[in-house]
Amino acid sequence: MIKFLDLKAINAAYENELKEACARVIDSGWYIMGNELEQFESKFAEYCETKYAIGVANGLDALILVLRAWKELGKLSEGDEVIVPANTYIASILAITENELVPVLVEPDMETYNLTKEGIEAAITPRTKAVLPVHLYGLISPMPEIMQIAKEHNLLVLEDCAQAHGAMTDGKKAGSWGDAAGFSFYPGKNLGALGDAGAITTNNDELAQTLIALRNYGSHKKYENSYQGLNSRLDEIQAAMLRVKLKYLDSETASRQNIADHYLRGINNSLVEVPKLNVDGEHVWHLFVVRCAYRDALIKHLVEHDIQTLVHYPIAPHKQQAYSEFNHLSFPLTEKLQDEVLSLPMSPCLSEQECQKVIDAINSFKVV
């Protein structure tokens, strides 16, 4: 079976370094908010080309905390609107509603699956205060256009970079464009921890200092609390794991790009639509997502060829029970995507032979 993602194989490449890092933390006797976190934050900020990187417990908390900090700083208020893609993972929406803000869902571009300038502009109202672009599947959103809109309308921009570690456009990396950005280091991400972990990047001093307190019970100094904060801290073990894996992120990205290139050149089946390349951006291929009107049949066909696939995502947020108040809304493009998208095996450990087997199986797919 060709696995969709083999995390054991990915981490085995760095087994000795990961074990040494773990032992270093155990031997230190310091397990929360210590040197490992400080060192990782410094290196990740350098990698993202930002002034700050602030480690938190997970990617959802990263988004929640930024919006929460803007409320504390008086930049957002309950009931303000945040423009967000309709076709995203539910975490993007949860971060908004958790802060008693209003998500305004916008249809995607059907080639990039990201927000468009036109879609954002059409959604702006007097209550719009922020835009939350999601760099879906590893392709950065049209950030130059988004930042221009934000400047013209005095909007905050929070990038959801959960799938876009290292993605670029116009020479700038994901996480360095907006006023702030949230990253996830869930194990399956391009930069994955060995558990839950996340980070926030920003160049804003005031925001950074507010976030540093909010993630730690609202406290800058022990037992003195400036805010009603959270416990959302990136622990020393995960920070140490991420310090190891960050060193290899660019080489793993190059492997992903090579696999994607192989797929793009090799897949030739009129029933299966491959991604459109954005020539202005550097795609990091967290996922390689094709579309097929006969997805269930294609999945069955690939299983018969011992190939594992996944669907990202089968139910859009506005159709989830959790957001029953949105169930009546219609987003035809998003709903078309949820019925057709299929993620192929994508991993820096995927061999050329395995990649070719996937290509051959797809090219042999027919609808009887």
Side-chain angles (χ1 to χ4, degrees):
M1 171 69 73
I2 298 176
K3 293 183 178 181
F4 170 75
L5 181 65
D6 190 342
L7 291 178
K8 184 176 180 179
I10 290 173
N11 290 318
Y14 319 121
E15 180 179 358
N16 291 336
E17 286 185 79
L18 291 171
K19 288 180 177 177
E20 288 170 6
C22 187
R24 185 173 66 241
V25 174
I26 293 170
D27 293 343
S28 76
W30 194 289
Y31 308 121
I32 297 287
M33 304 287 281
N35 180 66
E36 297 292 340
L37 175 61
E38 183 180 327
Q39 291 297 316
F40 172 69
E41 288 176 331
S42 175
K43 290 295 185 183
F44 193 64
E46 179 183 347
Y47 180 83
C48 293
E49 300 170 356
T50 58
K51 189 172 183 180
Y52 298 98
I54 300 157
V56 295
N58 54 68
L60 174 57
D61 279 5
L63 298 176
I64 288 173
L65 283 165
V66 172
L67 296 172
R68 171 74 177 279
W70 281 335
K71 290 181 72 177
E72 294 285 358
L73 293 170
K75 296 180 182 296
L76 292 176
S77 301
E78 181 178 341
D80 284 346
E81 295 177 353
V82 181
I83 293 172
V84 65
N87 67 312
T88 183
Y89 185 56
I90 198 170
S92 309
I93 315 298
L94 289 170
I96 298 169
T97 57
E98 178 68 18
N99 281 286
E100 299 178 309
L101 303 168
V102 178
V104 176
L105 307 180
V106 174
E107 289 272 54
D109 179 282
M110 289 300 280
E111 290 193 355
T112 68
Y113 309 136
N114 285 328
L115 286 174
T116 66
K117 175 179 182 289
E118 295 75 18
I120 294 170
E121 289 178 331
I124 293 174
T125 76
R127 294 295 296 171
T128 306
K129 293 297 190 298
V131 182
L132 201 163
V134 180
H135 308 319
L136 202 63
Y137 307 150
L139 177 64
I140 196 168
S141 300
M143 292 310 298
E145 295 177 349
I146 290 173
M147 296 310 297
Q148 183 60 39
I149 294 170
K151 182 179 179 180
E152 292 171 359
H153 294 272
N154 193 29
L155 304 177
L156 296 163
V157 177
L158 170 56
E159 298 174 70
D160 185 337
C161 299
Q163 301 183 359
H165 312 72
M168 297 179 69
T169 189
D170 280 14
K172 288 185 64 173
K173 286 185 177 177
S176 68
W177 280 94
D179 298 285
F183 285 85
S184 169
F185 304 124
Y186 180 77
K189 302 299 185 183
N190 289 29
L191 177 60
L194 274 70
D196 271 322
I200 299 159
T201 56
T202 185
N203 290 312
N204 186 284
D205 296 338
E206 185 180 36
L207 177 61
Q209 293 309 311
T210 305
L211 287 164
I212 287 168
L214 280 174
R215 71 172 176 185
N216 187 37
Y217 297 97
S219 174
H220 283 295
K221 183 178 180 181
K222 195 169 185 179
Y223 302 130
E224 295 182 13
N225 303 79
S226 303
Y227 309 101
Q228 296 177 24
L230 304 176
N231 175 12
S232 181
R233 302 175 298 204
L234 174 55
D235 68 68
E236 290 287 278
I237 287 284
Q238 297 306 332
M241 302 294 103
L242 289 165
R243 283 182 65 191
V244 171
K245 298 189 70 177
L246 180 58
K247 295 186 296 183
Y248 302 101
L249 177 56
D250 284 345
S251 62
E252 288 197 357
T253 297
S255 296
R256 289 174 178 272
Q257 290 168 336
N258 183 59
I259 292 163
D261 182 63
H262 201 46
Y263 279 152
L264 289 167
R265 287 186 289 106
I267 295 173
N268 183 24
N269 186 326
S270 61
L271 298 174
V272 180
E273 183 176 335
V274 298
K276 302 293 191 302
L277 279 176
N278 180 351
V279 295
D280 296 324
E282 185 176 337
H283 205 314
V284 295
W285 299 105
H286 172 60
L287 299 171
F288 190 97
V289 179
V290 299
R291 286 169 52 196
C292 181
Y294 307 95
R295 184 176 66 194
D296 290 347
L298 177 58
I299 292 172
K300 183 175 183 292
H301 174 78
L302 293 174
V303 167
E304 291 170 352
H305 285 77
D306 291 325
I307 297 167
Q308 183 185 43
T309 58
L310 291 178
V311 176
H312 297 85
Y313 302 98
I315 305 174
H318 72 283
K319 293 298 184 183
Q320 296 284 358
Q321 181 179 341
Y323 287 112
S324 57
E325 66 270 32
F326 298 147
N327 288 173
H328 69 284
L329 298 176
S330 175
F331 294 99
L333 300 182
T334 294
E335 290 157 23
K336 181 177 176 64
L337 289 176
Q338 77 179 38
D339 291 338
E340 295 184 354
V341 294
L342 183 65
S343 300
L344 303 185
M346 172 55 75
S347 159
C349 296
L350 196 70
S351 70
E352 187 172 325
Q353 291 75 20
E354 289 173 323
C355 190
Q356 188 60 50
K357 182 177 178 180
V358 175
I359 291 169
D360 291 342
I362 291 175
N363 287 344
S364 69
F365 173 64
K366 298 177 182 178
V367 176
V368 179

